[in-house]
Amino acid sequence: GVVTIENQASSSDTGLIKSPFGGAFKPGSKEIYLALKDNKSLSIYNCTDKTLTTPAPVTLNNPMDVVFTSNGNYYIADRENNRIVAVVGGETKVCSLGFKPNSLLVDPQENYMYIGSNAGYGLYRVKISDIDKGANTSLERIAGTGENFSTHTNGSVGQPETATIGNIAGMCFDPTINYLYYFDLKTKIFQVFIPGLGGDWSKGTIKTVIGTDKSSSFCNQGGEIVFANGNFYVAAKGVQ
Protein backbone atom coordinates (compact mmCIF):
# COMPACT_ATOMS: atom_id res chain seq x y z
CA GLY A 1 0.00 0.00 0.00
CA VAL A 2 0.86 3.68 -0.13
CA VAL A 3 2.23 5.28 3.04
CA THR A 4 2.24 9.06 3.49
CA ILE A 5 5.58 9.65 5.15
CA GLU A 6 4.81 13.02 6.71
CA ASN A 7 1.74 11.70 8.50
CA GLN A 8 3.68 8.73 9.80
CA ALA A 9 6.49 10.85 11.27
CA SER A 10 6.58 11.81 14.94
CA SER A 11 4.40 14.75 15.96
CA SER A 12 7.45 16.94 16.50
CA ASP A 13 8.59 16.33 12.93
CA THR A 14 5.22 16.75 11.19
CA GLY A 15 5.40 19.45 8.53
CA LEU A 16 9.12 19.15 7.90
CA ILE A 17 8.68 17.63 4.45
CA LYS A 18 8.39 20.38 1.85
CA SER A 19 9.00 19.81 -1.86
CA PRO A 20 10.75 16.40 -1.80
CA PHE A 21 12.30 16.54 -5.27
CA GLY A 22 14.53 13.48 -4.99
CA GLY A 23 15.06 10.49 -2.75
CA ALA A 24 16.91 7.20 -2.45
CA PHE A 25 17.09 4.19 -0.17
CA LYS A 26 20.35 3.71 1.70
CA PRO A 27 21.74 0.35 0.47
CA GLY A 28 20.91 -2.54 2.79
CA SER A 29 18.63 -0.46 4.99
CA LYS A 30 15.05 0.66 5.37
CA GLU A 31 15.98 4.33 5.39
CA ILE A 32 14.91 6.77 2.68
CA TYR A 33 17.05 9.87 2.21
CA LEU A 34 15.00 12.82 0.95
CA ALA A 35 16.27 15.98 -0.77
CA LEU A 36 13.83 18.63 0.46
CA LYS A 37 14.08 21.65 -1.83
CA ASP A 38 12.02 24.15 0.13
CA ASN A 39 13.41 22.99 3.50
CA LYS A 40 16.92 23.47 2.11
CA SER A 41 17.87 20.26 3.87
CA LEU A 42 18.25 16.51 3.70
CA SER A 43 15.99 14.32 5.84
CA ILE A 44 16.01 10.60 6.61
CA TYR A 45 12.83 8.58 7.00
CA ASN A 46 13.09 5.22 8.78
CA CYS A 47 10.47 2.85 7.39
CA THR A 48 10.69 0.56 10.44
CA ASP A 49 10.07 2.95 13.32
CA LYS A 50 8.46 5.65 11.13
CA THR A 51 10.69 8.47 12.31
CA LEU A 52 11.93 11.45 10.34
CA THR A 53 15.33 12.89 11.24
CA THR A 54 17.81 15.39 9.83
CA PRO A 55 21.51 14.45 9.76
CA ALA A 56 24.32 16.71 10.91
CA PRO A 57 23.69 20.06 9.23
CA VAL A 58 25.30 20.82 5.88
CA THR A 59 24.56 24.18 4.30
CA LEU A 60 22.29 23.37 1.34
CA ASN A 61 20.37 25.71 -0.96
CA ASN A 62 17.58 24.00 -2.90
CA PRO A 63 18.80 20.39 -2.74
CA MET A 64 17.20 18.62 -5.71
CA ASP A 65 18.36 15.01 -5.62
CA VAL A 66 20.27 12.46 -3.57
CA VAL A 67 21.85 9.19 -4.76
CA PHE A 68 23.92 6.40 -3.19
CA THR A 69 26.75 4.18 -4.28
CA SER A 70 26.74 0.57 -3.11
CA ASN A 71 29.26 1.29 -0.33
CA GLY A 72 26.82 3.65 1.40
CA ASN A 73 28.35 6.96 0.32
CA TYR A 74 25.75 9.50 -0.75
CA TYR A 75 25.70 12.55 -3.00
CA ILE A 76 23.39 15.58 -2.96
CA ALA A 77 22.61 17.90 -5.88
CA ASP A 78 22.98 21.26 -4.09
CA ARG A 79 21.46 23.31 -6.89
CA GLU A 80 21.73 26.97 -5.92
CA ASN A 81 25.26 26.43 -4.59
CA ASN A 82 26.34 24.98 -7.97
CA ARG A 83 27.85 21.87 -6.46
CA ILE A 84 27.56 18.26 -5.39
CA VAL A 85 27.86 17.62 -1.67
CA ALA A 86 29.17 14.12 -0.92
CA VAL A 87 29.26 12.24 2.37
CA VAL A 88 32.09 9.75 1.99
CA GLY A 89 32.74 7.45 4.93
CA GLY A 90 31.06 10.01 7.16
CA GLU A 91 33.23 12.87 5.88
CA THR A 92 31.73 15.74 3.84
CA LYS A 93 33.27 16.62 0.48
CA VAL A 94 32.27 19.33 -2.00
CA CYS A 95 32.58 19.12 -5.80
CA SER A 96 32.10 22.53 -7.45
CA LEU A 97 30.41 22.46 -10.85
CA GLY A 98 29.95 25.99 -12.18
CA PHE A 99 26.30 25.24 -13.03
CA LYS A 100 23.15 24.22 -11.18
CA PRO A 101 22.71 20.44 -10.77
CA ASN A 102 19.12 19.29 -11.00
CA SER A 103 19.42 15.50 -11.00
CA LEU A 104 22.11 12.90 -10.35
CA LEU A 105 22.65 9.39 -11.67
CA VAL A 106 25.35 6.85 -10.82
CA ASP A 107 26.36 4.66 -13.75
CA PRO A 108 25.95 0.86 -13.36
CA GLN A 109 29.72 0.42 -12.92
CA GLU A 110 29.83 3.23 -10.32
CA ASN A 111 32.64 4.98 -12.19
CA TYR A 112 30.85 8.22 -13.11
CA MET A 113 28.22 10.53 -11.73
CA TYR A 114 25.93 11.82 -14.50
CA ILE A 115 24.50 15.27 -13.85
CA GLY A 116 21.37 16.80 -15.33
CA SER A 117 21.59 20.58 -15.16
CA ASN A 118 19.19 23.44 -14.60
CA ALA A 119 20.08 26.11 -17.20
CA GLY A 120 23.46 24.48 -17.83
CA TYR A 121 21.94 23.34 -21.15
CA GLY A 122 23.65 19.99 -21.20
CA LEU A 123 24.27 16.59 -19.69
CA TYR A 124 27.47 16.38 -17.69
CA ARG A 125 29.50 13.74 -15.90
CA VAL A 126 32.38 13.58 -13.42
CA LYS A 127 34.32 10.65 -11.97
CA ILE A 128 32.97 9.54 -8.62
CA SER A 129 36.55 9.12 -7.43
CA ASP A 130 37.02 12.86 -8.05
CA ILE A 131 33.89 13.80 -6.11
CA ASP A 132 35.07 11.65 -3.21
CA LYS A 133 38.21 13.80 -3.04
CA GLY A 134 36.34 17.09 -3.40
CA ALA A 135 37.72 17.55 -6.93
CA ASN A 136 36.15 18.23 -10.33
CA THR A 137 39.11 17.59 -12.65
CA SER A 138 37.22 15.07 -14.80
CA LEU A 139 34.03 17.16 -15.14
CA GLU A 140 32.87 17.26 -18.78
CA ARG A 141 29.78 18.06 -20.83
CA ILE A 142 28.91 14.96 -22.86
CA ALA A 143 25.70 16.19 -24.53
CA GLY A 144 23.99 19.48 -25.27
CA THR A 145 25.35 22.71 -26.66
CA GLY A 146 25.78 24.42 -23.31
CA GLU A 147 23.73 27.35 -24.67
CA ASN A 148 20.14 28.48 -24.26
CA PHE A 149 17.82 27.92 -27.23
CA SER A 150 14.39 28.74 -28.60
CA THR A 151 13.99 25.77 -30.96
CA HIS A 152 14.72 22.20 -29.93
CA THR A 153 16.83 19.79 -32.00
CA ASN A 154 18.16 16.33 -31.28
CA GLY A 155 21.34 17.32 -33.12
CA SER A 156 23.31 15.25 -35.59
CA VAL A 157 23.81 11.50 -35.36
CA GLY A 158 27.05 10.78 -33.52
CA GLN A 159 27.41 14.40 -32.36
CA PRO A 160 25.60 14.70 -29.01
CA GLU A 161 26.97 18.20 -28.33
CA THR A 162 24.86 19.51 -31.23
CA ALA A 163 21.62 18.58 -29.42
CA THR A 164 19.69 21.15 -27.40
CA ILE A 165 19.08 20.23 -23.77
CA GLY A 166 17.15 22.48 -21.39
CA ASN A 167 16.41 21.43 -17.82
CA ILE A 168 16.90 17.76 -17.00
CA ALA A 169 14.50 16.72 -14.24
CA GLY A 170 15.14 12.99 -13.99
CA MET A 171 17.44 10.32 -15.44
CA CYS A 172 17.89 6.56 -15.44
CA PHE A 173 19.92 3.88 -17.17
CA ASP A 174 18.57 0.83 -18.93
CA PRO A 175 21.41 -1.40 -17.67
CA THR A 176 20.72 -4.11 -20.23
CA ILE A 177 21.76 -1.90 -23.15
CA ASN A 178 23.49 1.04 -21.39
CA TYR A 179 21.09 3.64 -22.75
CA LEU A 180 20.53 6.80 -20.67
CA TYR A 181 16.99 8.18 -20.52
CA TYR A 182 16.04 11.64 -19.27
CA PHE A 183 13.11 14.05 -19.08
CA ASP A 184 13.63 17.67 -20.17
CA LEU A 185 11.40 20.16 -18.35
CA LYS A 186 12.09 22.98 -20.82
CA THR A 187 10.96 21.06 -23.89
CA LYS A 188 8.64 18.58 -22.08
CA ILE A 189 10.28 15.73 -23.99
CA PHE A 190 11.30 12.28 -22.76
CA GLN A 191 14.60 11.46 -24.49
CA VAL A 192 17.19 8.70 -24.80
CA PHE A 193 20.96 9.12 -25.15
CA ILE A 194 22.45 6.18 -27.05
CA PRO A 195 26.24 5.79 -26.82
CA GLY A 196 28.37 5.17 -29.89
CA LEU A 197 30.32 2.02 -30.64
CA GLY A 198 32.11 0.58 -27.66
CA GLY A 199 30.06 2.74 -25.28
CA ASP A 200 31.65 5.96 -26.54
CA TRP A 201 29.37 8.78 -25.30
CA SER A 202 31.22 11.38 -27.38
CA LYS A 203 29.93 9.55 -30.48
CA GLY A 204 26.44 9.05 -29.09
CA THR A 205 23.05 10.11 -30.44
CA ILE A 206 20.04 11.80 -28.81
CA LYS A 207 16.59 10.55 -29.79
CA THR A 208 13.05 11.46 -28.73
CA VAL A 209 10.99 8.79 -26.97
CA ILE A 210 7.82 10.78 -26.23
CA GLY A 211 6.83 14.38 -26.95
CA THR A 212 7.47 17.24 -29.33
CA ASP A 213 9.05 20.58 -28.53
CA LYS A 214 7.00 22.44 -25.86
CA SER A 215 3.73 20.83 -26.96
CA SER A 216 4.04 17.42 -25.38
CA SER A 217 0.87 15.80 -24.10
CA PHE A 218 3.12 13.53 -22.04
CA CYS A 219 3.19 15.76 -18.95
CA ASN A 220 3.66 19.32 -17.78
CA GLN A 221 6.48 18.48 -15.42
CA GLY A 222 8.51 15.36 -14.82
CA GLY A 223 10.67 14.13 -12.01
CA GLU A 224 12.16 10.84 -10.99
CA ILE A 225 12.49 8.11 -13.62
CA VAL A 226 12.83 4.47 -12.62
CA PHE A 227 13.54 1.48 -14.87
CA ALA A 228 12.33 -1.88 -13.57
CA ASN A 229 11.33 -5.17 -15.19
CA GLY A 230 11.65 -3.69 -18.67
CA ASN A 231 9.34 -0.75 -17.90
CA PHE A 232 9.83 2.95 -17.21
CA TYR A 233 8.08 4.73 -14.37
CA VAL A 234 8.05 8.55 -14.54
CA ALA A 235 6.87 10.90 -11.79
CA ALA A 236 4.75 13.32 -13.84
CA LYS A 237 2.72 16.40 -12.97
CA GLY A 238 -0.33 17.20 -15.05
CA VAL A 239 -1.23 13.58 -15.81
CA GLN A 240 -4.28 12.03 -14.22
Side-chain angles (χ1 to χ4, degrees), residues 146-158:
E147 302 291 337
N148 199 358
F149 59 93
S150 57
T151 302
H152 169 70
T153 174
N154 286 339
S156 301
V157 173

Side-chain angles (χ1 to χ4, degrees), residues 1-11 13-18 20 32 34 45-47 49-52:
V2 176
V3 177
T4 302
I5 291 177
E6 184 175 3
N7 290 341
Q8 294 294 325
S10 65
S11 59
D13 285 330
T14 298
L16 285 182
I17 296 180
K18 296 179 181 178
I32 306 173
L34 298 168
Y45 179 74
N46 189 301
C47 297
D49 58 22
K50 297 182 175 60
T51 57
L52 186 70

Side-chain angles (χ1 to χ4, degrees), residues 86-103:
V87 178
V88 181
E91 184 177 356
T92 300
K93 300 288 185 178
V94 172
C95 174
S96 297
L97 300 174
F99 59 85
K100 301 179 189 302
N102 224 33
S103 55

Side-chain angles (χ1 to χ4, degrees), residues 132-239:
D132 290 351
K133 294 182 292 187
N136 64 2
T137 307
S138 60
L139 179 64
E140 60 179 340
R141 176 166 44 87
I142 59 172
T145 63
E147 302 291 337
N148 199 358
F149 59 93
S150 57
T151 302
H152 169 70
T153 174
N154 286 339
S156 301
V157 173
Q159 299 180 47
E161 289 188 317
T162 63
T164 52
I165 295 177
N167 182 351
I168 296 180
M171 300 183 290
C172 76
F173 274 106
D174 178 345
T176 61
I177 52 178
N178 201 38
Y179 287 9
L180 192 159
Y181 292 81
Y182 65 88
F183 182 78
D184 191 330
L185 277 177
K186 179 179 173 70
T187 61
K188 301 182 175 64
I189 297 176
F190 186 35
Q191 309 233 225
V192 59
F193 187 10
I194 304 170
L197 292 176
D200 186 350
W201 291 104
S202 69
K203 304 297 183 184
T205 299
I206 305 285
K207 293 186 176 181
T208 296
V209 179
I210 303 175
T212 57
D213 188 19
K214 298 182 182 178
S215 60
S216 173
S217 58
F218 177 48
C219 62
N220 293 328
Q221 293 188 31
E224 295 296 313
I225 303 174
V226 178
F227 179 83
N229 301 319
N231 297 311
F232 289 100
Y233 301 87
V234 181
K237 181 179 179 180
V239 177

Side-chain angles (χ1 to χ4, degrees), residues 35-103:
L36 304 180
K37 174 179 174 291
D38 289 349
N39 291 92
K40 302 185 186 300
S41 68
L42 181 79
S43 288
I44 304 170
Y45 179 74
N46 189 301
C47 297
T48 300
D49 58 22
K50 297 182 175 60
T51 57
L52 186 70
T53 58
T54 300
V58 175
T59 302
L60 301 172
N61 192 352
N62 288 1
M64 300 298 292
D65 203 3
V66 56
V67 295
F68 278 88
T69 48
S70 59
N71 57 11
N73 295 336
Y74 62 94
Y75 306 81
I76 306 165
D78 189 10
R79 190 177 76 180
E80 301 307 317
N81 287 324
N82 297 328
R83 64 184 186 172
I84 295 172
V85 174
V87 178
V88 181
E91 184 177 356
T92 300
K93 300 288 185 178
V94 172
C95 174
S96 297
L97 300 174
F99 59 85
K100 301 179 189 302
N102 224 33
S103 55

